Amino acid sequence: MTKLPYHRQNLAVLIQQQARQQLEEQGAANLSLRQIARFLAVTPAAVYRHFPDKASLLAALREEITAELAAALRDNVLDSADATAMLQQMITNLVTFATDHPRAVRFILTTPLAAPQSLTTVLTLVRAQRGLVGTAADATAVWTFLVGVLCQLPDAQLTVDWIAAQVDRLLGEA
């Protein structure tokens, strides 16, 4: 066990970091507040002061991972003025995130996941640049498909090009 200095100011952050590491390595079901306390060399009571139960810690992790996924989707998307390239980058980012964090993705998919605003915006741009007529429901359909893709990754050998072609079909292009 690594000895870490106990500092009341950053204990909640350390707890959440250790919980995230446990989640990534062992999955949410095996996350243990007592094990986190042992790793951080603090009493279980110190952990429970910040997170009264496992559910509250998991809620904090869900919020953190969902924010990371949304940020990952936006990464490098604005490097191009072409909406199709933006969408392709978003899909690449999604596949990369799911491949790098499979247990975290499986964990956040245990509850409904709203379509990110960045995806809705890019889909609106794609439709405008391609002269397609669409509705807000298109974003829901595409996001539902992408969540299904997330459920399959990293096990399924789905390529970014295949995923993008399916999204095009959903938008009425194929």
Side-chain angles (χ1 to χ4, degrees):
M1 176 173 11
T2 306
K3 274 284 197 191
L4 297 173
Y6 172 70
H7 297 290
R8 183 178 300 259
Q9 300 85 2
N10 64 358
L11 184 58
V13 172
L14 291 173
I15 293 167
Q16 204 160 325
Q17 286 173 346
Q18 181 58 31
R20 176 67 182 270
Q21 185 176 337
Q22 276 189 19
L23 175 84
E24 295 275 5
E25 292 172 358
Q26 304 167 11
N30 295 320
L31 191 123
S32 164
L33 291 161
R34 290 188 180 277
Q35 193 175 44
I36 291 169
R38 262 185 256 115
F39 180 84
L40 295 175
V42 299
T43 66
V47 173
Y48 287 106
R49 268 195 292 279
H50 294 282
F51 297 97
D53 53 24
K54 183 176 174 178
S56 64
L57 180 55
L58 289 175
L61 285 176
R62 181 172 281 108
E63 189 175 309
E64 173 187 313
I65 295 165
T66 301
E68 283 179 23
L69 175 61
L73 280 174
R74 293 187 306 267
D75 196 35
N76 299 320
V77 167
L78 296 178
D79 290 353
S80 173
D82 178 49
T84 300
M86 290 177 179
L87 182 58
Q88 187 91 6
Q89 183 63 52
M90 288 187 110
I91 293 168
T92 299
N93 294 347
L94 184 76
V95 169
T96 300
F97 189 86
T99 302
D100 291 349
H101 307 284
R103 284 194 172 117
V105 168
R106 284 190 184 108
F107 167 66
I108 63 170
L109 291 177
T110 60
T111 59
L113 196 57
Q117 182 59 47
S118 57
L119 177 65
T120 302
T121 302
V122 168
L123 290 173
T124 300
L125 291 171
V126 167
R127 283 194 308 268
Q129 285 185 356
R130 295 179 183 177
L132 299 173
V133 177
T135 67
D138 290 347
T140 302
V142 169
W143 182 242
T144 301
F145 168 72
L146 291 175
V147 167
V149 167
L150 284 174
C151 291
Q152 301 302 314
L153 295 173
D155 302 328
Q157 300 299 315
L158 305 177
T159 66
V160 170
D161 289 337
W162 181 85
I163 297 166
Q166 303 315 306
V167 169
D168 285 345
R169 292 181 82 199
L170 284 171
L171 294 174
E173 285 235 337

